[in-house]
Amino acid sequence: MINMKIYNKYITAIAVSLVLASCKAPMATVIQDDVKNNIPENFKQDEQQDVNNNSGTTPWRQFFTDPNLVSLIETSLKNNQELMITLQEIEIAKSGVVAKKGKLSPTVRAGLGAGVKKAGRYTSEGAGDASTEIEPGKEMPDPLGNFEGGLMANWEIDIWKKLRNEKDAAVAHYLSTVEGKNFVLSNLIEEVADNYYELLALDNQMDIIQQYIKLQTRALEIAKIQKQAAAATELAVKKFEAELAKSKATEYTIRQEITEKENQINALCGRYPQPIVRTKESFMSTIPQTVYTGIPSQLLANRPDIKQAELELKAAKLDVEAARKEFYPSLEISATLGLEAFKPSYLVKMPESIAYNLVGELAGPLINKSAIKANFQTADAKQIQALYEYDKTILNAYLDISNLMSKVKNIDQYYQLKSQETQALDQSIDIANQLFKNSRADYLEVLLNQRDALDAKMELIEAKQKQLSTVVDIYKGLGGGWK
């Protein structure tokens, strides 16, 4: 005879050993955020920035003063398809939070069932059924039916906080999608403003080329008159004709660019092509906004792409913890309560038809852990990947602001010098035309002066557009636009 006490001790020891063996879990990689911890105190090491002045915290309605631009931004925020797609991503992430939160609570289902079973007569079950009387003189029916209905519950007890980690990871991911939406808002406002200023620049270039065409037309007429008076040659006439044709061709190129730029703005506004309301006359006199950068550490709180990357890193860390807890045993409780009988009429007989079941199960992985090991390694790698993504976002944000600060100063100097060049060339055109009329200068001097003046004016308009767009870019780079 086997001693039952010794047998039970062996069984208990084996069960405990198996549980302990299944509790061994690998450790996640410990990551350190050196980029965030070592962010410089200022954007330029030889300059001090004002902590209290940061244009990134200014609402976009206060930053942009052109009413036509404000109207375009409002339209784009209502209709832009990319923004609408991002909003649906938020809804998807919100549903993910609800799903993960639901796993923390018991699952209760209601069910009905019916079936029939015929056991062999010469089996223990069949012989038992044949010899069983339900009531005096009534044997068990053959075949035997089964009718049941009741409630079934399942609940995984979150003893290792695995489910809570999964829920917290889903919450972090949801919050990151909200920040992603804010980043899309910031990018959208920047893109609308940049395209608007480019459109105004094209309008002003169109005015310049049309003025130049009028100037070339008059110069051609003078060349023809001088040819008739033998003061100029046919070559001069042909050169002026060629220059006039080139200017007219440039006009059509600018017209096409204006059409494409208008449609690009309409696409951002989520609408079919239509004229863009704008005032081009004040473009060259527009003074760019003064931008205050604050200090680099404020980027962590102001820029939505940095906050998005930070939340994704948090979610990745929680995913690693949840994947690690898969190595531990899980405790599940299942229960059923209902009515069961072989005839529907017996279901209402109490308490004979009442059936219930309660089971608690503690089980963990023991052999062949390849799947959960792979899931853990994947989660660990994604955690490291998220850290690199976060660090890259911070570094790029700092470099963007540093570059744009330098660009603001240099483009201002460039604009001032181009203004001086344009004024000097305008004066030289008048002088060259007067000399040409008096036969004291040839047509080449006139043409070269006119070409140089046209190029300088075109470049001056581009410089103004870059001035305004750079200010918009640095505003967005500081985290402005989404508030």
Side-chain angles (χ1 to χ4, degrees):
M1 293 290 293
I2 299 176
N3 191 319
M4 292 304 298
K5 290 184 178 181
I6 296 176
Y7 177 77
N8 290 334
K9 287 181 180 180
Y10 279 126
I11 294 298
T12 304
I14 292 172
V16 171
S17 299
L18 292 176
V19 170
L20 292 176
S22 68
C23 287
K24 292 182 179 180
M27 297 299 296
T29 302
V30 179
I31 58 177
Q32 293 183 346
D33 196 355
D34 295 332
V35 173
K36 177 183 177 181
N37 296 332
N38 297 325
I39 190 169
E41 294 182 1
N42 298 292
F43 289 106
K44 288 190 175 181
Q45 301 306 318
D46 56 344
E47 294 183 9
Q48 292 291 327
Q49 272 87 39
D50 189 352
V51 179
N52 298 320
N53 282 332
N54 190 317
S55 297
T57 60
T58 304
W60 67 266
R61 292 179 184 275
Q62 298 177 16
F63 188 82
F64 298 105
T65 57
D66 188 330
N68 295 322
L69 176 57
V70 170
S71 177
L72 288 173
I73 292 174
E74 288 176 342
T75 303
S76 67
L77 294 180
K78 293 178 182 177
N79 302 329
N80 183 262
Q81 281 80 16
E82 184 178 355
L83 181 58
M84 298 300 107
I85 292 171
T86 304
L87 292 177
Q88 295 310 306
E89 290 177 357
I90 293 177
E91 294 301 317
I92 293 171
K94 188 187 296 184
S95 299
V97 174
V98 175
K100 294 297 183 182
K101 187 177 180 181
K103 288 186 176 182
L104 291 167
S105 303
T107 300
V108 180
R109 297 177 295 128
L112 296 173
V116 64
K117 182 178 180 182
K118 172 68 171 70
R121 178 64 179 83
Y122 300 109
T123 62
S124 58
E125 184 179 356
D129 291 343
S131 60
T132 300
E133 291 186 356
I134 306 168
E135 295 178 0
K138 292 185 179 180
E139 296 182 352
M140 188 77 72
D142 189 20
L144 188 65
N146 186 60
F147 300 90
E148 59 184 358
L151 302 176
M152 294 151 280
N154 293 91
W155 188 19
E156 180 178 353
I157 308 299
D158 193 22
I159 54 178
W160 310 112
K161 295 185 178 180
K162 178 188 72 173
L163 299 179
R164 274 170 283 183
N165 284 337
E166 290 179 351
K167 184 207 72 173
D168 292 342
V171 171
H173 178 65
Y174 161 71
L175 294 175
S176 78
T177 60
V178 174
E179 296 299 337
K181 181 263 296 182
N182 293 336
F183 189 57
V184 171
L185 283 175
S186 186
N187 281 337
L188 178 61
I189 291 172
E190 177 201 33
E191 200 169 353
V192 171
D194 283 344
N195 281 281
Y196 179 75
Y197 290 137
E198 289 175 13
L199 180 60
L200 292 180
L202 289 171
D203 288 337
N204 280 264
Q205 287 181 337
M206 175 64 76
D207 290 342
I208 293 297
I209 199 68
Q210 288 175 346
Q211 293 173 12
Y212 187 64
I213 289 172
K214 292 179 181 179
L215 181 65
Q216 285 294 331
T217 302
R218 289 196 298 268
L220 177 59
E221 292 172 354
I222 293 172
K224 288 179 178 179
I225 293 171
Q226 288 191 329
K227 179 198 169 188
Q228 292 174 358
T233 63
E234 180 68 17
L235 180 61
V237 174
K238 294 301 180 184
K239 284 289 186 181
F240 279 114
E241 285 180 351
E243 189 70 15
L244 179 59
K246 179 181 176 182
S247 300
K248 289 182 177 179
T250 302
E251 178 185 4
Y252 286 104
T253 301
I254 296 176
R255 287 186 187 277
Q256 178 61 27
E257 291 177 355
I258 289 175
T259 299
E260 292 178 0
K261 190 59 62 177
E262 285 184 323
N263 287 338
Q264 192 170 351
I265 294 174
N266 283 318
L268 292 172
C269 293
R271 63 192 187 188
Y272 287 104
Q274 57 183 273
I276 301 298
V277 179
R278 57 197 186 270
T279 304
K280 62 182 179 180
E281 289 76 19
S282 60
F283 175 72
M284 295 303 295
S285 60
T286 303
I287 300 175
Q289 288 268 25
T290 302
V291 178
Y292 302 97
T293 59
I295 58 176
S297 60
Q298 292 175 328
L299 293 174
L300 304 178
N302 292 341
R303 279 189 59 137
D305 58 333
I306 293 180
K307 293 195 286 184
Q308 181 184 18
E310 182 180 18
L311 288 165
E312 287 295 343
L313 176 59
K314 179 181 178 181
K317 290 179 179 179
L318 291 168
D319 285 336
V320 173
E321 284 301 309
R324 187 170 178 269
K325 302 296 174 57
E326 291 289 347
F327 289 91
Y328 298 163
S330 59
L331 175 60
E332 292 189 8
I333 296 176
S334 59
T336 58
L337 175 63
L339 303 175
E340 186 176 16
F342 59 81
K343 288 179 63 177
S345 58
Y346 287 151
L347 285 173
V348 295
K349 289 190 175 182
M350 305 288 184
E352 291 83 0
S353 62
I354 295 176
Y356 60 85
N357 181 37
L358 180 63
V359 177
E361 182 180 58
L362 181 66
L366 185 60
I367 299 174
N368 191 4
K369 302 179 183 179
S370 300
I372 57 176
K373 284 181 179 178
N375 290 336
F376 172 77
Q377 291 169 355
T378 299
D380 194 41
K382 287 184 176 180
Q383 172 194 217
I384 300 172
Q385 187 182 48
L387 173 65
Y388 292 149
E389 189 68 31
Y390 181 50
D391 289 346
K392 183 184 75 172
T393 306
I394 295 175
L395 185 60
N396 288 342
Y398 178 87
L399 294 175
D400 284 346
I401 299 303
S402 180
N403 290 336
L404 290 168
M405 288 173 62
S406 176
K407 187 176 180 180
V408 166
K409 292 182 179 180
N410 290 329
I411 200 69
D412 286 343
Q413 294 297 320
Y414 176 81
Y415 181 80
Q416 296 301 326
L417 293 172
K418 277 296 174 183
S419 296
Q420 296 175 19
E421 179 188 2
T422 301
Q423 292 173 3
L425 288 171
D426 280 341
Q427 295 172 1
S428 70
I429 287 178
D430 294 336
I431 295 171
N433 286 336
Q434 191 64 39
L435 291 173
F436 181 66
K437 290 178 182 178
N438 297 326
S439 300
R440 296 176 60 187
D442 61 19
Y443 66 91
L444 288 176
E445 293 181 85
V446 177
L447 282 174
L448 289 175
N449 275 282
Q450 290 177 349
R451 286 179 184 176
D452 291 343
L454 175 64
D455 292 341
K457 289 180 179 179
M458 291 294 198
E459 290 171 356
L460 181 64
I461 293 171
E462 290 179 358
K464 173 58 69 174
Q465 179 262 316
K466 288 179 180 178
Q467 259 192 332
L468 298 172
S469 292
T470 301
V471 169
V472 173
D473 294 343
I474 198 171
Y475 171 65
K476 175 253 180 182
L478 292 169
W482 60 272
K483 295 184 179 180

